[in-house]
Amino acid sequence: MKTRCSRASSQLLSDPTRLGCREIPEPVELLKKDLVPPFLPEHTSPVRPRFSRGSRDHPQRRNQHRRLNRPLSLPLLDRPVEIQQMSSIVRTKLHLAEIGPSLDKLCISITPSHISETLKTIDDVERAIHLFEWAMKQPNYAHNASTYVALMWILAQGKDFGKIWELLEEMKLAGFELKPDYFVVLIKSYGELGKYDDAINALREMLNFGVTPTLYVYNALLSILVKGQKLDLATEIYRELVSDSDLVNEFAFNMMIHGFSELGRMDDALEVVSDMKKLNVQMGRVTWTTLIDGFCNVGNIEKALQLWSDMKDSGIMPNVVTYSALIKGYCKVGRVDDAMHYLQCMRKEEREPNAITYTVLVDGFCKGGRIDEGKRFLDEVLESGGKVNQIVYYILIIGYCR
C-alpha cells in the first residue's frame, strides 16, 4: 500500500506546473460545500482593521519611533496638501499632547471636509478622537454629519460602542438627520464580535432616535444572525419583516432559506418558500439553487430532482452553480454515474463546468473506491483545457493512500 501511495504521489506531482506552483503548498481543507454564493456583499469601511490597544507590545506602540519617518501612502498623496499635512501630524506625532500645537502651526482655516478626509486616513481611536476634539475648539468651526460618520467608522473598528452611542446622542441633540446607515455600522460591529442581542437592540433603539428601520437595516441584521447560525433570533426578525409586505424582498427569504439549509432544517426552509408564495414574491435562480443544494446535502436527491424540474418549468434554467449542487448531491450518495450524466447535460447546454464541479466528481470517484477512474477523468479534463484547483490533487493522493 505504501508503495502504491508513493508511486501515485510521485506520478501526480512529478510535474509541479500542474499544481500551478513550484512547491507543494501546505495541506488545506479538502472540500467545502460553499456552492451557493453569499447573498450580501460585505461593505468595507474606509479604515483598516485595528489591533487591540493597551499593551506595550501593541504594534502601534512598538513602532512609534519608526512611524515618525513613515512616508505618506500613495492614496494619501492624491489628497489636498492640507489633508496630507494634517494626517502626517496626527499619525506620526509620538505624544498626543503634541498634535494640537502642531496642527495650530499649520494656520489652516479648517472645514468639516478637512476633518472628515483626515479621519479617513487614521486607524487609531485615540488619535482620531484627539483630532475630532481639537477641531471642536477651533474658531468659526462646527462638525457636520460627515465628520461624525468618519469618526464613527474608526470607533466601530475599535469596537468602542459606548462612544458611538454618545456620538449618535450628540448628533440627535445638534439637530442632525440621523440615517439608518449609521446604525448598520453598529449592527455589523456587534455581529463581528458575536454580540447578537446587542445587534438586535441597536435595531430597536433606532426608533428612540427617530429613525425608522429600512429594508437594508433588516437585511444586514438578518445576514449577521444567519451567518452566526442564530436561526431562532433570525426568525424573530424575519417574522417582523414578512408582517409588512412592503418591507420584504427576495433577499430576506433567500437568507432564511440559506440559513435553514446550512443546518439541514429543510422543512423550515420550505415554510419560507410558502411565505414567498403568499406574498407573491417570485423565486429566482438563487432561491431554487439554495433549496436544491440543501436537499442534496441531507441526501434527499428525489426532492432535489423535483425542485430541479419545478425550476425549469417556471422558466428558470440551471447555471453552473445549480448543476454543481446536484452533481455534488449525487456524489454524496455514491451515485457517481448519475452525476456524470448531469455533467454531460451541462456540457450539452453549453454550461462550462468549473473547478468545483470537477473536484466534486473526482472526490466522488475516490470515495466510491474508483480512484483510477477519477484519475482518468482528471486527465481528460486537463487534456480538454478544463481548469482545476490544487485540492483535486490532494483528493487523489489521499484516495491512493487509503
Side-chain angles (χ1 to χ4, degrees):
M1 180 63 71
K2 290 184 179 180
T3 302
R4 187 185 184 196
C5 174
S6 177
R7 183 170 60 252
S9 301
S10 176
Q11 180 183 8
L12 285 168
L13 302 178
S14 60
D15 182 6
T17 59
R18 299 176 73 183
L19 283 167
C21 57
R22 294 184 179 180
E23 298 180 357
I24 307 304
E26 292 298 319
V28 294
E29 188 175 355
L30 291 181
L31 193 61
K32 287 183 176 285
K33 62 183 182 65
D34 298 332
L35 294 173
V36 181
F39 300 104
L40 184 66
E42 292 295 332
H43 294 278
T44 56
S45 69
V47 294
R48 298 186 298 276
R50 298 180 59 258
F51 293 90
S52 299
R53 302 190 318 280
S55 168
R56 291 182 179 180
D57 293 328
H58 181 274
Q60 289 179 346
R61 298 192 177 186
R62 198 168 55 237
N63 297 325
Q64 277 177 334
H65 291 281
R66 248 179 288 172
R67 290 170 56 197
L68 292 174
N69 297 317
R70 184 174 61 185
L72 296 178
S73 63
L74 288 177
L76 186 56
L77 290 175
D78 292 335
R79 301 176 188 271
V81 175
E82 295 91 343
I83 305 300
Q84 296 180 34
Q85 293 173 331
M86 294 177 65
S87 176
S88 179
I89 289 172
V90 176
R91 293 186 304 121
T92 61
K93 285 298 178 182
L94 186 59
H95 301 293
L96 294 178
E98 299 176 356
I99 293 177
S102 298
L103 290 171
D104 291 334
K105 291 178 182 178
L106 294 178
C107 298
I108 298 174
S109 180
I110 64 167
T111 66
S113 178
H114 285 114
I115 301 303
S116 62
E117 290 301 312
T118 303
L119 284 170
K120 291 176 183 179
T121 69
I122 300 170
D123 57 7
D124 183 279
V125 170
E126 291 179 349
R127 290 172 182 272
I129 293 175
H130 200 84
L131 171 64
F132 191 85
E133 294 178 345
W134 169 84
M136 293 176 64
K137 301 173 185 176
Q138 303 310 300
N140 302 317
Y141 175 86
H143 286 303
N144 65 10
S146 67
T147 58
Y148 277 99
V149 173
L151 179 59
M152 203 177 298
W153 274 111
I154 300 172
L155 295 172
Q157 293 294 326
K159 303 300 183 284
D160 194 340
F161 300 112
K163 185 64 177 178
I164 295 176
W165 286 112
E166 289 179 16
L167 287 182
L168 290 171
E169 288 284 358
E170 288 181 20
M171 294 179 73
K172 178 183 176 182
L173 293 174
F176 289 110
E177 179 185 357
L178 298 182
K179 297 181 179 180
D181 290 1
Y182 304 163
F183 294 87
V184 172
V185 174
L186 269 168
I187 289 171
K188 288 188 174 183
S189 297
Y190 280 130
E192 289 173 1
L193 292 182
K195 296 186 174 184
Y196 302 110
D197 290 331
D198 288 328
I200 294 174
N201 182 62
L203 174 74
R204 307 292 184 222
E205 283 294 318
M206 291 179 68
L207 295 175
N208 294 333
F209 283 86
V211 182
T212 302
T214 61
L215 179 59
Y216 173 63
V217 178
Y218 274 106
N219 285 345
L221 181 56
L222 267 183
S223 177
I224 288 167
L225 296 175
V226 170
K227 287 179 180 178
Q229 296 189 339
K230 300 297 179 182
L231 268 297
D232 292 336
L233 294 176
T235 301
E236 177 186 336
I237 301 301
Y238 165 75
R239 288 300 168 197
E240 291 182 21
L241 270 175
V242 296
S243 65
D244 186 350
S245 58
D246 294 330
L247 197 61
V248 68
N249 64 359
E250 187 182 355
F251 172 85
F253 295 115
N254 285 340
M255 279 304 306
M256 294 304 299
I257 292 171
H258 176 68
F260 286 130
S261 298
E262 284 285 293
L263 298 181
R265 294 168 56 176
M266 299 312 299
D267 289 339
D268 292 322
L270 290 177
E271 285 188 20
V272 177
V273 174
S274 297
D275 291 336
M276 294 182 73
K277 293 178 179 178
K278 291 176 184 177
L279 295 174
N280 295 317
V281 178
Q282 296 297 317
M283 294 174 60
R285 185 181 288 109
V286 171
T287 312
W288 288 107
T289 300
T290 306
L291 286 167
I292 290 169
D293 186 52
F295 278 105
C296 285
N297 286 334
V298 297
N300 192 341
I301 296 296
E302 288 71 24
K303 182 63 177 178
L305 286 173
Q306 178 190 328
L307 290 166
W308 179 278
S309 178
D310 293 342
M311 177 184 68
K312 297 179 78 172
D313 290 342
S314 71
I316 297 177
M317 300 305 292
N319 61 8
V320 60
V321 180
T322 320
Y323 267 107
S324 296
L326 189 62
I327 289 171
K328 182 190 68 172
Y330 272 120
C331 290
K332 187 180 181 72
V333 296
R335 295 168 61 178
V336 183
D337 292 330
D338 290 321
M340 288 295 292
H341 166 73
Y342 277 92
L343 176 68
Q344 299 305 320
C345 293
M346 188 178 182
R347 288 170 170 166
K348 288 179 181 179
E349 294 182 8
E350 297 184 352
R351 300 286 194 272
E352 184 65 29
N354 59 21
I356 293 177
T357 315
Y358 295 132
T359 300
V360 165
L361 283 164
V362 172
D363 187 57
F365 277 118
C366 290
K367 287 181 177 176
R370 300 162 63 179
I371 304 169
D372 292 333
E373 290 182 64
K375 174 63 167 58
R376 283 196 297 273
F377 170 71
L378 177 59
D379 288 339
E380 292 172 2
V381 169
L382 294 173
E383 289 173 5
S384 64
K387 296 183 179 180
V388 300
N389 54 30
Q390 297 171 1
I391 297 175
V392 72
Y393 292 97
Y394 288 104
I395 291 173
L396 271 176
I397 292 171
I398 289 175
Y400 275 117
C401 291
R402 283 174 178 164

